Each structure stands twice: as structure tokens, then as C-alpha cells.
Amino acid sequence: MKKITVFKGDGIGPEITDAVLKILEAAKAPLEYEVFRVGLDEYEENGALIPEAAFASFEANKVLLKSPITTPIGKGFRSLNVTLREKYDLYANIRPAKSNTAVVTPFPDVDIVTFRENTEDLYVGVEEQIDADTVHATKIITRRASTRIITDAFEYARAQGRKKVTCVHKANILKKSDGLFLSIFKEIAEKYPDIQADDRIVDAVCMQLVMKPQQFDILVMPNLYGDIVSDLTSGLIGGLGLLPSSNLGRDHAMFEAVHGSAPDIAGKNIANPTAFLWSACMMLEYLGEMEAAARIRRAVDQVLAESEHKTPDLGGRATTTEYRDAIIAHL
Ligand code: ATP
């Protein structure tokens, strides 16, 4: 039995965590769970958003299933997501967006994986007030961080039998920073003659994604473009409720839905747990538990295909718990 750490976050976090843990149990995933409450309630009672014991558990288990956490605004907190990514050097954010035949969208055949660099770019959070009317923000691009995310994208393409990797950038304007990212991409691409490689400007990619997304396979890009473009890809497949992600470092791995804590629908039992559940499937695959992941993926496909159990974000009327129970019934 592999032991994993689970963070129950804020907003819809506890509801989708409950659904996912019950489904993992029903699928007989060979896992043991150390579950921690993290986030605002924890902060108000004990003074820390993430208790030390929760960090210690992730350090020991090295695998974290994390539901969304709200970063309090205006209290001087750094984003917890950014903190976790930095602390454990979770540099590769991988976000697969794949159409599901049961979810009707204008694009039934999208299959795009975004590789987002997770540790630098404008996310380093260095902003300087020059005077009352002027702020400078620092964008950092390094050879080390660019090399590892781009290499991972090509390695993934090869391992998964995919055809093409596209570098997304704005090197026509940011000639030095994005220029460095692009030149490293071109160097690395030469080592993978079996994989097609091309590059596109980020604004053009956004336009092409909404007109003809089928032309894209794997996208690799610096942090901020990855944030924005991957939300766009979630829209292509039916919304944020369907986009999972993994955040991988050399030693640690964290799996989470791309969406946030959605406070507007928290506590209403209508959140769609699919993105978080598919994140759990990515975790099972990472751990080599292919069969359990495949069982869950099949059950989700079957339940989505029978429309009566869809949650409201997908046009249905089922509650989170009804959807969860329908998946469990299929398992
Ligand atoms: P963050 O800044 O943490 O990304 P956000 O407020 O920008 O958070 P999200 O919480 O990701 O955005 O979600 C935006 C909206 O999308 C939510 O307010 C909610 O209505 C909807 N949404 C997000 N996730 C889900 C989900 N799992 N199920 C149903 N609706 C969702």
C-alpha cells in the first residue's frame, strides 16, 4: 500500500475531496491516506494555512493530492500554490485537455497537453513601486528552468507516442527573455528528430485554439502564458470542472484540479469533482497503478454518457454526491 498525503482545502475543496476519496476507495486503489485540513478554517483556529504536520506528511510521502485552497486577499499572504511549487520545486505543470464524447462542445476532437513552467517568469512576484504612478514587475527566464520543462515535454511526447511539440512565446517583443526560452526549445528539438517541433506567438495560438484546436498536440511555454492558455483549453473541452493537472518535481509530485475553490458554489453540493478525480487518476498512473486509474476513467465515461448524472456546470441537474454515487455504482 502506498501512503499519500491529501489536503482538503477551502470552498468546494472539502466536497470534491470527499467525493474523490470515496471513489478511490470503491475502485480499490491500493492507497493509504493522510488527510489534512488546510486553508482558511485551519488558519483561523491554529494560525497557519498549512499546518507543519501536513508539510511533514508530504515530505515523507512525496505524493500529494491537493484540493483548492483560497489565498486570503489583503493579509500579506503569498499564494499557497506558488509556495508549494517553490518549496518542493514542482517545476512541471502538466494539464491534459481531452474532449469527452459525452460533453457537447463545438470541438469533439481536442487532445492537447499543456506543459507550463511552474517556478519563474512573472510568478516570481518581484514588483517594485517606482513612484506613485509607476510599478515595475520582473520576468525571470533561466536556461536551467527552461531546459527541464522543454525536455520533459519532448520526453512525454516520445513516451506517449505523440507527434508534435509547439513552443508558445512572445519572442518578437520579449526578445531576450522569451527569446532565450525559444532558442533553448530549438536546441532541444534537434535531439528529438522523431517529434515534430514548431513555435507560435502566444496571441496567435489563442486565436488558432478557438478556431482549429485540432492542429495542436503538446504545448510548452513559460509560466504566465501557461496559466492563461491552459484555462482556454479547459473551455474547449467543457470548462474548468474537467481540467486536471500534475505538478512534478524531481522528488515530489502534487496533483490538483486546475480550478480554484469556487466560493460562489461552495457548500451547495453542486461542484463538479471530475477535474479533481482525473487528477487522482494521473496520480495513480504516476504511481504505476494503471488498472485502478483505468477503472475510474471508464466509470466516469459511462456516467457522463448517461446524462441524468451530470452536474449543473455540464448542463445537468445532479448533485456532487449523486454524481459520485453513480460513479461508485459503475465501479
Ligand atoms: P483562482 O483564482 O483560485 O483560480 P477563481 O475564483 O479565479 O479561482 P475558480 O474558483 O477556478 O476561479 O472558478 C471560477 C468559476 O468557475 C467558479 O466561480 C465556479 O462558478 C466555476 N467552477 C470552477 N470549478 C468548478 C467545479 N469544479 N465545478 C463547477 N463549477 C466550477
Side-chain angles (χ1 to χ4, degrees):
M1 286 276 211
K2 169 77 188 144
K3 209 186 266 179
I4 65 151
T5 303
V6 180
F7 285 4
K8 264 190 192 197
D10 297 301
I12 59 172
E15 297 161 59
I16 62 175
T17 307
D18 168 78
V20 167
L21 291 182
K22 289 209 165 70
I23 292 167
L24 285 170
E25 209 173 293
K28 300 196 169 41
L31 299 174
E32 273 178 53
Y33 309 96
E34 291 184 348
V35 183
F36 294 88
R37 182 182 71 169
V38 302
L40 289 178
D41 289 346
E42 180 62 26
Y43 173 74
E44 260 139 41
E45 257 176 56
N46 298 316
L49 287 162
I50 302 180
E52 276 310 314
F55 280 122
S57 166
F58 181 29
E59 267 154 44
N61 297 331
K62 303 204 174 344
V63 176
L64 170 63
L65 185 61
K66 176 190 152 292
S67 86
I69 309 172
T70 306
T71 300
I73 296 171
K75 292 191 183 169
F77 287 106
R78 270 203 90 192
S79 155
L80 279 174
N81 291 329
V82 175
T83 305
L84 281 166
R85 287 169 192 166
E86 273 178 7
K87 190 170 162 77
Y88 299 101
D89 200 19
L90 304 169
Y91 67 88
N93 190 328
I94 304 165
R95 300 180 159 187
K98 192 170 190 321
S99 304
N100 187 298
T101 47
V103 180
V104 180
T105 71
F107 307 109
D109 46 4
V110 170
D111 186 1
I112 297 170
V113 183
T114 302
F115 275 69
R116 166 186 175 188
E117 201 291 319
N118 228 1
T119 61
E120 55 183 33
D121 193 5
L122 281 160
Y123 277 72
V124 293
V126 179
E127 293 186 304
E128 194 187 350
Q129 189 87 39
I130 303 298
D131 60 39
D133 300 318
T134 314
V135 174
H136 289 185
T138 303
K139 173 174 167 106
I140 294 183
I141 300 287
T142 65
R143 177 170 294 278
R144 174 174 173 269
S146 306
T147 301
R148 60 189 185 174
I149 188 75
I150 295 166
T151 304
D152 279 13
F154 277 100
E155 285 294 324
Y156 179 94
R158 198 175 260 174
Q160 301 288 322
R162 301 187 71 123
K163 307 238 160 348
K164 184 167 80 170
V165 181
T166 302
C167 175
V168 180
H169 61 87
K170 189 81 185 173
N172 53 334
I173 302 296
L174 297 161
K175 293 185 198 304
K176 290 195 173 160
S177 51
D178 282 11
L180 177 63
F181 192 86
L182 177 59
S183 72
I184 294 168
F185 176 83
K186 287 180 175 165
E187 278 167 31
I188 293 171
E190 281 184 15
K191 297 185 200 150
Y192 295 85
D194 47 323
I195 312 285
Q196 285 175 52
D198 67 358
D199 73 273
R200 307 270 177 102
I201 311 270
V202 61
D203 42 326
V205 164
C206 290
M207 183 269 289
Q208 289 156 350
L209 275 170
V210 293
M211 292 192 69
K212 199 167 167 264
Q214 302 82 355
Q215 65 188 292
F216 295 108
D217 187 344
I218 291 175
L219 304 175
V220 63
M221 63 198 91
N223 207 340
L224 183 63
Y225 309 142
D227 182 39
I228 298 165
V229 170
S230 64
D231 261 35
L232 197 163
T233 64
S234 87
L236 297 175
I237 59 160
L240 277 173
L242 298 175
L243 195 62
S245 79
S246 58
N247 295 266
L248 307 183
R250 292 279 174 243
D251 299 322
H252 291 79
M254 174 174 91
F255 299 84
E256 63 180 344
V258 164
H259 61 73
S261 56
D264 54 327
I265 57 164
K268 295 187 179 159
N269 197 22
I270 55 168
N272 183 353
T274 311
F276 195 40
L277 183 58
W278 279 337
S279 306
C281 289
M282 290 175 82
M283 176 188 75
L284 287 169
E285 286 151 3
Y286 171 85
L287 293 170
E289 299 296 342
M290 304 303 178
E291 254 178 57
R295 266 200 300 279
I296 295 172
R297 287 186 189 280
R298 269 197 305 275
V300 172
D301 285 347
Q302 283 161 347
V303 171
L304 287 176
E306 319 154 344
S307 300
E308 73 259 36
H309 295 119
K310 278 185 190 157
T311 45
D313 58 305
L314 299 182
R317 279 193 292 184
T319 60
T320 310
T321 41
E322 283 164 354
Y323 177 68
R324 172 199 78 191
D325 291 344
I327 293 172
I328 291 173
H330 273 283
L331 287 164

